[in-house]
Amino acid sequence: MSKIELKERLIDKINHTEDENILAELTRLLNLDIESEDIHNFNEKEIQKIEEAQLQIKNGDFLPHDEANKETEEWLGK
């Protein structure tokens, strides 16, 4: 499906929905795209935390993705 077709389908669905929650969520998602163009300048504390995390990774002090997911599931009681 082409980009034009996708846009047309999306516009049609927006025009035909009466669900305010869906419209609000679509607006939020579209605003995320606009906001993502902003550049974030890290402050000194953020830079320090990033450097600490990079050092932890370099030293092997981290959980692999699957282990982190497992711990999260256990913590959430799933």
Side-chain angles (χ1 to χ4, degrees), residues 39-75:
I39 297 174
H40 177 76
N41 293 313
F42 295 108
N43 63 40
E44 195 62 37
K45 187 174 183 177
E46 291 170 323
I47 292 170
Q48 181 183 2
K49 291 295 184 182
I50 291 168
E51 289 172 350
E52 288 175 18
Q54 289 173 330
L55 183 60
Q56 288 175 329
I57 291 168
K58 184 177 179 182
N59 293 331
D61 186 19
F62 63 90
L63 287 176
H65 183 73
D66 57 335
E67 287 182 38
N69 283 343
K70 182 179 176 185
E71 284 191 16
T72 302
E73 287 177 7
E74 288 173 5
W75 181 72

Side-chain angles (χ1 to χ4, degrees), residues 27-44:
T27 301
R28 186 189 70 77
L29 289 171
L30 292 171
N31 285 337
L32 284 177
D33 185 44
I34 293 168
E35 293 168 5
S36 69
E37 295 175 9
D38 295 340
I39 297 174
H40 177 76
N41 293 313
F42 295 108
N43 63 40
E44 195 62 37

